[in-house]
Amino acid sequence: MRSLFIFTLFFFILPLEAAPPVPLWERVYGGHYDDEARGVIQVDSGRFVIVGWTSSYGADTKDAYLLVIDSLGDTLWTKTYGRERDDVGYDIAVTDSGDFILVGGSTRPYYDGYLMFPWVLKLNSEGDTLWEKVIKRGHSFKRISRVKEGGFLAVGAVFRMVGYRMDGDGDSLWFSNNDEFWSGANDFVELPGGGFMLVGLDSTRGTDSTNCEFHMGVSFFSDSGDFLYDRYYRASWNDALYSVVEGYDGNYLACGYTARGDYGMTDLYLVKLDSLGDTLWTRVYGGPGWECGYDIERTDDSAYIVVGYTDSRGSGWSDVYLLKVNDDGDTLWTATYGGSDYEGAYRILPLGGDNYLIVGYRMVIGGYRDVYILRLGPQSGVIERGDKGVLFSVDGGIGGPLRVEYGLEGRERVRLVIYDVLGREVRVLRDRVDQRGRYEVEWDIRDDGGLRVNSGVYIVGLTVGDERYVRRVIVLGGCR
């Protein structure tokens, strides 16, 4: 008779800080042509809104693409937006009324041809278009976020680094740009003393207006949109910054890439700046191949998480690259995620603890890109405490059942379910109201019909009130 082995993905010799999160689920969305995700927001505990573009669906060659999923990655609805030529979405924000503001680029007539311009759409909560605006200066907006004095700021462009301050109806409060031709903003932060720091790239050209090289650029604007000054950083012959975040010490960390050698290979680049744009330190992370950092966010343990791609390590041609660092840029851990194809990530959404949602792309060799979404969570066996004081842990032994423990500080509705990797319910272990106390539930590796499950990856999902906790476990050697 074959033995049943249950492994939870936690090594007790490692402290939590040394253990990267593990995949809870991954999903691929798309059709027969290129589809890509660029931005993500969480609108409530059970829904995520992803924005990007699609060539598989919509009106023409490329349309902006909105994908709404639940906490297990199941599609709730999708919408496309665009006209007869290329239209793309880069980022999205939510208004106080629950509507969405999507930013990107839309191709429109320009003299005798067509050109892409910055594009803003307001959508209701169901994705229906309320209005759209095209700003015929620049190329496209890359990021949008709320600002302290009200309204939103969108940044982007290619011809010049631009900022567009708007209210919730898209009416312009100000529009401004720097003085550098062929520059663009990829992200921004609002400064505590007022004004904005935009990060991206600036270009340098030879005397004959050719031989263009791109380098890291930072521009400063006042609250009213006045351009103040630029800072220009050159670490190699080709560099750029893609994301910036305010640090826990009042300074700023920005990530991107820098070229290595004469063949164009790049390393992930991290720079720390003060509020004037002066460099405090720089760090380079990478291997013999290509690396890039596209997004940096703060974690709730006073550290920072950087996401991008690498082809120097991992299991495929390229993989999602995740890096956690402290205020000095010291590496706390690194991890790669992906299969045998090409994977990469553009944005990461921290969800508390070591829980993250990552959006990007997957491309098979010789094929097209698809939207790739990866949900990460803490290693199993770790005891997690939620906002309501809920304690949750999962453990298992060789040949024995899976044990789930949770503790409540008050009376709560509890639902404990085993899912497969596609999010389908395999076994409902508990669905009731529990009182204050500590509880232990065993899973005997059988489904709701009493049959042993097959070997594979399963997800333990615990819902307490409006809080959700998940763990991934691997069952080996199961048989029916």
Side-chain angles (χ1 to χ4, degrees):
M1 182 175 178
R2 298 167 66 188
S3 299
L4 180 69
F5 297 87
I6 304 171
F7 290 85
T8 57
L9 301 181
F10 175 68
F11 301 91
F12 292 95
I13 60 172
L14 295 177
L16 179 60
E17 291 77 13
V22 297
L24 301 177
W25 52 258
E26 61 176 13
R27 293 292 185 92
V28 176
Y29 311 79
H32 297 297
Y33 301 102
D34 277 330
D35 310 286
E36 195 166 289
R38 285 297 186 122
V40 59
I41 57 173
Q42 184 178 14
V43 292
D44 53 43
S45 60
R47 288 188 303 152
F48 300 94
V49 180
I50 294 97
V51 65
W53 58 78
T54 176
S55 296
S56 300
Y57 316 108
D60 206 78
T61 56
K62 187 181 291 185
D63 283 330
Y65 185 41
L66 202 63
L67 169 66
V68 181
I69 63 172
D70 65 16
S71 59
L72 292 174
D74 292 329
T75 301
L76 300 178
W77 53 264
T78 65
K79 291 285 181 73
T80 62
Y81 309 89
R83 299 194 177 188
E84 68 275 8
R85 294 187 181 266
D86 286 355
D87 303 281
V88 297
Y90 276 104
D91 202 9
I92 193 166
V94 63
T95 68
D96 291 333
S97 61
D99 297 327
F100 302 115
I101 298 182
L102 184 154
V103 298
S106 180
T107 303
R108 301 298 170 97
Y110 185 74
Y111 290 100
D112 294 331
Y114 291 86
L115 193 65
M116 183 171 283
F117 294 104
W119 188 36
V120 184
L121 295 91
K122 188 171 185 179
L123 315 171
N124 65 20
S125 59
E126 303 301 319
D128 300 319
T129 302
L130 302 177
W131 51 253
E132 67 170 342
K133 295 180 183 291
V134 174
I135 294 88
K136 291 196 171 182
R137 292 172 64 185
H139 180 272
S140 59
F141 287 135
K142 299 296 180 67
R143 290 283 184 112
I144 183 172
S145 185
R146 290 176 176 271
V147 295
K148 295 174 183 176
E149 294 186 358
F152 300 85
L153 179 65
V155 300
V158 168
F159 304 126
R160 280 184 170 87
M161 191 176 291
V162 302
Y164 179 69
R165 175 99 181 273
M166 72 188 91
D167 60 21
D169 294 321
D171 295 327
S172 176
L173 301 177
W174 54 257
F175 185 95
S176 186
N177 58 263
N178 66 358
D179 294 329
E180 294 295 324
F181 191 68
W182 284 106
S183 63
N186 292 316
D187 197 8
F188 76 94
V189 289
E190 192 167 2
L191 302 174
F196 305 92
M197 175 194 293
L198 280 62
V199 303
L201 54 89
D202 282 334
S203 69
T204 58
R205 292 175 177 266
T207 56
D208 58 352
S209 297
T210 61
N211 191 30
C212 179
E213 296 179 355
F214 288 101
H215 299 288
M216 292 170 279
V218 177
S219 292
F220 291 83
F221 293 83
S222 71
D223 281 331
S224 57
D226 297 321
F227 168 65
L228 301 177
Y229 61 91
D230 280 321
R231 288 295 176 92
Y232 172 83
Y233 313 90
R234 178 172 180 167
S236 71
W237 62 271
N238 184 21
D239 325 281
L241 295 175
Y242 286 108
S243 181
V244 63
V245 67
E246 183 179 355
Y248 285 98
D249 60 358
N251 295 301
Y252 302 87
L253 280 79
C255 70
Y257 73 85
T258 183
R260 182 182 67 254
D262 297 327
Y263 298 101
M265 291 186 175
T266 62
D267 288 321
L268 191 154
Y269 189 77
L270 198 60
V271 58
K272 190 170 190 177
L273 308 170
D274 65 17
S275 60
L276 299 177
D278 293 326
T279 302
L280 301 178
W281 52 252
T282 63
R283 298 284 188 273
V284 175
Y285 312 84
W290 297 74
E291 280 80 27
C292 181
Y294 283 113
D295 194 19
I296 182 170
E297 301 290 344
R298 303 201 311 182
T299 63
D300 54 13
D301 57 353
S302 300
Y304 308 88
I305 197 81
V306 186
V307 73
Y309 76 89
T310 176
D311 69 1
S312 299
R313 60 194 76 189
S315 58
W317 289 88
S318 71
D319 285 297
V320 172
Y321 187 30
L322 198 60
L323 174 71
K324 190 173 184 180
V325 300
N326 63 17
D327 255 321
D328 296 320
D330 300 325
T331 302
L332 302 179
W333 49 254
T334 63
T336 61
Y337 307 90
S340 59
D341 301 315
Y342 293 88
E343 284 94 9
Y346 291 116
R347 296 288 289 274
I348 184 167
L349 183 64
L351 302 174
D354 269 335
N355 290 283
Y356 305 97
L357 190 79
I358 292 173
V359 302
Y361 63 88
R362 169 176 284 173
M363 182 177 69
V364 298
I365 300 171
Y368 295 97
R369 291 189 177 198
D370 286 318
V371 171
Y372 179 60
I373 302 180
L374 180 63
R375 174 70 165 88
L376 303 179
Q379 307 239 16
S380 295
V382 177
I383 297 178
E384 179 179 5
R385 179 181 290 274
D387 293 337
K388 294 183 177 181
V390 176
L391 293 172
F392 177 49
S393 67
V394 179
D395 197 6
I398 295 177
L402 189 74
R403 294 181 297 276
V404 181
E405 293 186 38
Y406 62 92
L408 306 176
E409 290 190 346
R411 187 175 184 269
E412 295 282 358
R413 181 79 191 185
V414 174
R415 181 172 168 83
L416 180 61
V417 182
I418 307 296
Y419 301 92
D420 64 15
V421 291
L422 297 179
R424 298 173 299 197
E425 288 189 359
V426 174
R427 180 77 175 272
V428 178
L429 298 176
R430 182 152 296 186
D431 189 0
R432 70 184 196 189
V433 174
D434 280 334
Q435 305 299 322
R436 183 179 186 274
R438 195 176 187 92
Y439 299 87
E440 180 177 319
V441 182
E442 290 189 349
W443 180 38
D444 58 2
I445 321 302
R446 296 180 183 274
D447 61 21
D448 279 332
L451 300 176
R452 283 188 178 272
V453 301
N454 291 324
S455 300
V457 178
Y458 294 86
I459 297 167
V460 182
L462 174 68
T463 302
V464 178
D466 58 357
E467 287 188 0
R468 182 77 182 277
Y469 307 84
V470 290
R471 293 286 187 273
R472 189 184 76 157
V473 294
I474 299 175
V475 174
L476 300 177
C479 60
R480 294 184 184 272

